[in-house]
Amino acid sequence: MPQPLPILNVEDLHLLYGNIKALDGITLEARTGELTFLIGPSGSGKSSLLRCCNRLEDPSSGRILVDGEDITQRNINLNRIRRGIGMVFQSFNLYPHMTAKGNVTLALRKVLGKNRKEAEEIGLAQLERVGLLDRADHFPNQLSGGQQQRVAIARALALEPKIMLFDEPTSALDPELVGEVLRVMRQLKEDGMTMVVVSHEMRFAKTAADHVVFMADGKIVEAGPPGQIFDAPCAERTRAFLQEAHH
């Protein structure tokens, strides 16, 4: 079987905050239809890397290619680029005065210029995809954290991104709500969505990821399939981190 092509190529990426190296020469690829999982201690650069991948942060040097296009070019149209890159954050960032449906359809109307009817059809289909069709007319304060996060996922999916970035999508949730968000993410993977996920959910990484990347101090320490990283890590740093994570 031919290898799927990378949809995301990160080449020798550096990010400096003053003299602190947040990212120190990261090279990474995420292949089409695969789930790439970033793990590592706090402050290892995982979120900074994700934020560079949709240009919420501007890298100091290096290149990021999305579907073959260098998104780190100076004069690039960021709005156009971000349409192809869905981002789900730790906080749900929903508009409190808009219903679930309103939150999901807003960008379809404002960004893609779709009319209300078309936007609603797409929005409702995406809410159904995350299991929330019956909550379309609820406001965020009428939804649990897990439901709000699923609305945020539906909102990102509505723009039909080429790749989805998840930055700690379950860390603000009560433990009993984490599973419903991971279920949606697992379903997306089965549907063939390319995903890069930063998370502490190691069990999910073990069972759902194609590729696990362990980062520390702004560098990639090691990367490989989950079986290798979790069961037979090469680096001492990885072993120590995983032991700590199991406690």
Side-chain angles (χ1 to χ4, degrees), residues 95-140:
Y95 290 106
H97 62 287
M98 295 177 114
T99 62
K101 183 174 68 182
N103 271 285
V104 174
T105 54
L106 182 67
L108 288 167
R109 303 214 315 268
K110 291 272 189 284
V111 179
L112 300 188
K114 297 198 180 295
N115 65 39
R116 185 176 290 269
K117 181 172 178 291
E118 201 183 353
E120 292 211 339
E121 277 172 16
I122 297 169
L124 291 173
Q126 296 303 345
L127 283 170
E128 183 168 28
R129 196 172 172 186
V130 300
L132 288 175
L133 189 54
D134 59 336
R135 296 281 191 279
D137 295 320
H138 287 55
F139 289 90

Side-chain angles (χ1 to χ4, degrees), residues 189-244:
K189 157 125 175 65
E190 285 168 17
D191 294 345
M193 176 60 76
T194 309
M195 297 156 71
V196 182
V197 177
V198 169
S199 173
H200 294 292
E201 298 293 335
M202 296 299 161
R203 226 173 355 191
F204 181 67
K206 248 183 202 166
T207 55
D210 295 287
H211 198 67
V212 177
V213 177
F214 173 67
M215 289 177 66
D217 304 324
K219 293 186 171 76
I220 291 178
V221 177
E222 69 178 302
Q228 178 204 316
I229 300 296
F230 289 113
D231 302 332
C234 306
E236 185 47 52
R237 289 278 320 247
T238 316
R239 275 200 293 273
F241 172 76
L242 290 172
Q243 265 168 350
E244 194 63 37

